[in-house]
Amino acid sequence: MSPAHAKTVAFKRGERNVFFHVLTACNLSCRHCYINPREHGTDTVPRENLEKWLTLFQDTNRETNVIFLGGEPTMHTDLPHAIRFAKKLGYVSVTVDTNGFLFHDFLGKVNPADLDFLSFSLDGPSPEVNDMLRGPGVFETCTANLQKAVAAGFNVSLIYTVSRYNIDHLHEMVPLLSRWGVKRFFIQVIGIRGKTAQNGGDKWQLTPEEWLEKIPLVAAEAAAHGITAVFPKVFLEPGEKFECAGRVAENYFIFPNGRVYQCPLCEDYPINGYRIAENTLIANSGFTETRLFSLDIPEGCVINKLLQPENLSYDAQGSPLYKISCCLLKQEMSPE
Ligand code: SF4
Ligand code: SF4
C-alpha cells in the first residue's frame, strides 16, 4: 500500500508528549480551525501557571516533549519565557506550532538553541490555495516569516493539513520546502472537529483511496529532496497490530480552562480524562475518554467509529475491510 521505505513510527512505551495550548485566541479564522471555545474556553494561561503546569507535567525519570500551541501561541507575551523555562526543567524537546505571524518579535526574543522545532502551518503552495482556507494575506506573511526563521538559525518544519480542498496541490509543496530550507514536513489529515465538524465534515474528508494513492508518493518525493516527511498511518494493513495511544503512551492535550485530554479526537466533548485544578492533575471520574480506550473492536479505533463512522467500510458479511489506526500513529520517510 505504501512505498517500501515508509517506516511506521510505533509509540515508544513510556513516551510522554505534552501538547500545551497556552491560549485559544488567534488573529486568524481558518475555515477548518479545531479550536472550540465552547469546550476550550477563551482564557490565556497566565505566566505563573505556565511555570506551574510545565512543572506539573515534567517527570525527571521519563523523557518528555512539549509542544506549545494555541490559538496562536506567539500572541502570548510570555511564550519566550515558557520556552526557556521548559528547557531549564529538562524537557527533551521543545516545539512551537505557529500560523506564521510570529507576534511580539518572537524571532528576536528566542534563542534558536532553546527551541528544537518551529513549525509553521501552511495549507497550500500559493496564496490562491492557502488563503482560501486560512485567510487573505496569510501565505505572504507566513512564508516570509518562515524564511526569516530559517535565516536566523531555527530548525523549521511545516504542517500541511490535507483535505479535499488542497490535496491536489500537496505535491507542489516539495520544491518550495526544499528551496526554503524546511527540514521536516508534517502531512496532517483533516480532523472532523471544531469548525470542520460544524461546516459539513463530509465536504472535507478524503477517501481511503485518495489518501493511499497520493500521500505516500508526496512523502517519498520530499524524502528524495532531503526532507523528512511524517504522515498519519490512518489505515492498518492486514495483520498489522492495532494499538491505542491512550493505553500505551502518555499524551496530554492541555487547554487553558484546565481540561486535559489524552485523545485529540475527544476534544469537542466534555469527556476529558483529566483536569488541572489548583495546579494538581486530577483523574476525572464517570464517563470519560479513558473508559473508551480499553474497548477492543474489529474496526480499530473506538472513537473513530463513534465520531467518524463514514471512514469505515464493511464486506458482505459485515466484517470491516480495514482497521483505522490510532490518529497518533505516524509513518516517517527519511532521506536515504
Ligand atoms: S491559525 Fe490555528 S488556531 Fe488560528 S484560526 Fe487557524 S487553525 Fe485556528
Ligand atoms: S485516536 Fe483512537 S486509538 Fe488513538 S488515542 Fe484516540 S481512541 Fe485511542
Side-chain angles (χ1 to χ4, degrees):
M1 272 189 190
S2 50
H5 58 297
K7 179 177 82 181
T8 298
V9 190
F11 311 116
K12 293 182 202 129
R13 286 205 178 257
E15 183 181 73
R16 300 180 86 240
N17 299 305
V18 175
F19 297 86
F20 196 159
H21 297 79
V22 294
L23 41 62
T24 54
C26 186
N27 59 310
L28 300 185
S29 184
C30 303
R31 286 173 62 190
H32 55 333
C33 182
Y34 72 91
I35 289 294
N36 181 337
R38 190 190 66 207
E39 302 299 330
H40 308 148
T42 52
D43 300 340
T44 295
V45 180
R47 182 181 175 109
E48 185 193 354
N49 282 0
L50 287 176
E51 293 184 359
K52 286 185 176 163
W53 294 8
L54 282 168
T55 307
L56 185 62
F57 284 91
Q58 165 63 336
D59 182 333
T60 42
N61 297 319
R62 280 175 297 170
E63 294 192 344
T64 308
N65 308 295
V66 62
I67 300 97
F68 290 110
L69 336 103
E72 171 48 34
T74 66
M75 285 170 68
H76 198 311
T77 48
D78 290 318
L79 182 64
H81 171 71
I83 292 167
R84 285 188 289 274
F85 194 80
K87 269 282 165 195
K88 214 163 68 190
L89 278 178
Y91 279 88
V92 288
S93 80
V94 180
T95 298
V96 170
D97 285 0
T98 177
N99 64 23
F101 277 68
L102 303 182
F103 290 100
H104 305 300
D105 185 26
F106 182 82
L107 296 182
K109 291 201 176 132
V110 174
N111 182 344
D114 286 336
L115 193 59
D116 295 271
F117 268 99
L118 181 57
S119 214
F120 289 75
S121 293
L122 193 74
D123 294 336
S126 64
E128 289 70 33
V129 180
N130 180 75
D131 294 359
M132 178 258 300
L133 294 162
R134 303 186 70 85
V138 175
F139 182 87
E140 196 183 332
T141 303
C142 180
T143 56
N145 283 338
L146 181 155
Q147 290 170 84
K148 277 186 203 160
V150 173
F154 287 87
N155 277 331
V156 167
S157 52
L158 189 136
I159 305 171
Y160 188 108
T161 301
V162 181
S163 69
R164 267 279 145 73
Y165 294 102
N166 64 2
I167 188 166
D168 290 337
H169 301 276
L170 181 66
H171 66 283
E172 296 163 39
M173 291 301 299
V174 175
L176 292 177
L177 300 182
S178 176
R179 174 155 28 103
W180 293 334
V182 170
K183 297 199 171 151
R184 290 171 81 86
F185 185 24
F186 292 95
I187 304 171
Q188 197 55 268
V189 62
I190 188 92
I192 306 305
R193 28 187 195 126
K195 276 200 208 169
T196 317
Q198 290 152 20
N199 298 336
D202 50 330
K203 291 202 294 263
W204 295 84
Q205 267 198 317
L206 307 169
T207 63
E209 292 73 26
E210 281 172 310
W211 180 262
L212 295 171
E213 197 185 301
K214 296 192 174 165
I215 305 301
L217 288 179
V218 175
E221 183 65 13
H225 279 74
I227 301 160
T228 299
V230 180
F231 55 103
K233 178 85 179 156
V234 188
F235 305 101
L236 292 177
E237 306 195 26
E240 273 190 295
K241 188 179 171 201
F242 168 80
E243 282 194 307
C244 168
R247 287 198 226 172
V248 302
E250 281 184 77
N251 290 291
Y252 298 103
F253 297 83
I254 310 173
F255 287 90
N257 59 2
R259 283 195 190 175
V260 180
Y261 291 85
Q262 288 178 284
C263 171
L265 295 190
C266 296
E267 289 172 5
D268 268 355
Y269 303 91
I271 57 170
N272 43 303
Y274 293 89
R275 69 184 188 279
I276 304 171
E278 292 173 13
N279 295 309
T280 307
L281 186 64
I282 297 169
N284 286 332
S285 54
F287 182 77
T288 68
E289 56 182 351
T290 317
R291 290 212 180 172
L292 297 169
F293 300 151
S294 57
L295 299 177
D296 285 310
I297 60 167
E299 292 90 343
C301 171
V302 172
I303 295 179
N304 176 74
K305 175 158 179 171
L306 290 174
L307 301 182
Q308 301 173 175
E310 61 283 358
N311 282 351
L312 299 164
S313 304
Y314 296 87
D315 65 18
Q317 284 71 47
S319 300
L321 292 178
Y322 42 77
K323 284 189 181 195
I324 300 287
S325 79
C326 178
C327 73
L328 295 164
L329 188 65
K330 310 290 184 204
Q331 285 191 288
E332 185 177 295
M333 286 196 204
S334 304
E336 295 296 331

